[in-house]
Amino acid sequence: MDDASIEAELIRRIARGERAAFDELYARYSRPLYSYITKFLRDRGLAEEVLQDAFVKIWRSAPRYDRSLSRPFSWCVLITKRLCIDRIRAMKPVTVTDDPVALQPVEEQRQPETNPSERVELDDQLSILGEMVERLPDSQRLSLQLAMNKGLTQQEISDQLNMPLGTVKTAMRRGMQRLKTMMASSYE
């Protein structure tokens, strides 16, 4: 039996709910799919999340696999590619028009009451922080920007970015850790 036949049989067994077949398919495909995802997304942390999502989707979609339409590996790559594209679409930058405060006339936007020298210092610090946030990987940057600029909860960020809640929490935690490191090194 050739590899394609063996792998098609594994998918057929996965469709019946056989965990051992899933484990074997994972052992065969996880490395090449991870490599593909990493090249596609250019973010190892995100690649790990998408790989996990891909195998969940493979598990759930196995009953619909049709060997006459594609080879097993091609089918798995197609599932993975779609998830990568979905993730990229979900990470599109938020535009200014998505920020309701930006759409208000300037006189309606609330400004904190501070004296001019405090305001200059605060503006400088916010500018530095903004530049640091821009240097973060996309998932971390977008999550933190939505929390800081829009005041969204982690669940709301998860919904808006179409990312699992755990992914958002991890991205925000890692982003905050990176910001802390960058801030510490900038004040040394």
Side-chain angles (χ1 to χ4, degrees):
M1 221 190 268
D2 66 337
D3 280 349
S5 298
I6 292 169
E7 292 161 353
E9 176 61 19
L10 289 174
I11 293 174
R12 190 183 63 73
R13 289 174 45 209
I14 291 168
R16 292 191 321 232
E18 289 185 33
R19 178 62 193 224
F22 179 80
D23 291 343
E24 188 174 338
L25 190 76
Y26 183 88
R28 287 174 177 256
Y29 289 174
S30 61
R31 284 188 135 173
L33 289 178
Y34 176 75
S35 177
Y36 174 81
I37 297 165
T38 304
K39 288 175 185 171
F40 201 99
L41 299 176
R42 296 185 185 115
D43 181 324
R44 289 183 183 273
L46 200 53
E48 291 170 6
E49 294 167 12
V50 172
L51 180 66
Q52 180 179 352
D53 292 346
F55 275 98
V56 168
K57 184 99 172 173
I58 290 166
W59 174 266
R60 290 180 180 158
S61 301
R64 292 187 300 277
Y65 171 70
D66 183 348
R67 185 174 181 186
S68 67
L69 297 176
S70 67
R71 296 174 55 92
F73 186 71
S74 300
W75 179 73
C76 291
V77 168
L78 181 61
I79 288 172
T80 304
K81 180 179 181 179
R82 287 179 180 157
L83 289 170
C84 288
I85 291 169
D86 289 346
R87 189 59 63 102
I88 288 171
R89 285 181 181 151
M91 294 185 326
K92 281 186 178 175
V94 178
T95 63
V96 146
T97 56
D98 291 334
D99 183 0
V101 174
L103 297 176
Q104 294 175 352
V106 174
E107 60 272 4
E108 291 180 24
Q109 296 178 17
R110 282 191 251 156
Q111 298 293 325
E113 293 184 25
T114 57
N115 70 41
S117 65
E118 288 176 340
R119 187 69 207 163
V120 168
E121 184 177 337
L122 180 60
D123 286 345
D124 286 345
Q125 290 172 348
L126 288 174
S127 176
I128 292 168
L129 178 61
E131 290 171 11
M132 289 178 181
V133 170
E134 287 297 323
R135 293 193 308 236
L136 295 174
D138 287 343
S139 61
Q140 296 171 13
R141 178 179 49 78
L142 290 171
S143 298
L144 289 174
Q145 284 174 332
L146 288 172
M148 293 184 319
N149 298 339
K150 289 189 172 186
L152 298 183
T153 65
Q154 290 177 329
Q155 183 61 58
E156 291 168 331
I157 293 167
S158 170
D159 295 342
Q160 184 157 343
L161 297 179
N162 194 25
M163 292 171 60
L165 180 59
T167 302
V168 169
K169 289 180 178 184
T170 300
M172 291 181 77
R173 185 179 69 250
R174 288 181 179 164
M176 292 299 290
Q177 290 169 340
R178 284 187 178 178
L179 285 175
K180 184 178 177 181
T181 302
M182 284 189 264
M183 290 174 85
S185 65
S186 71
Y187 288 110
E188 290 178 349

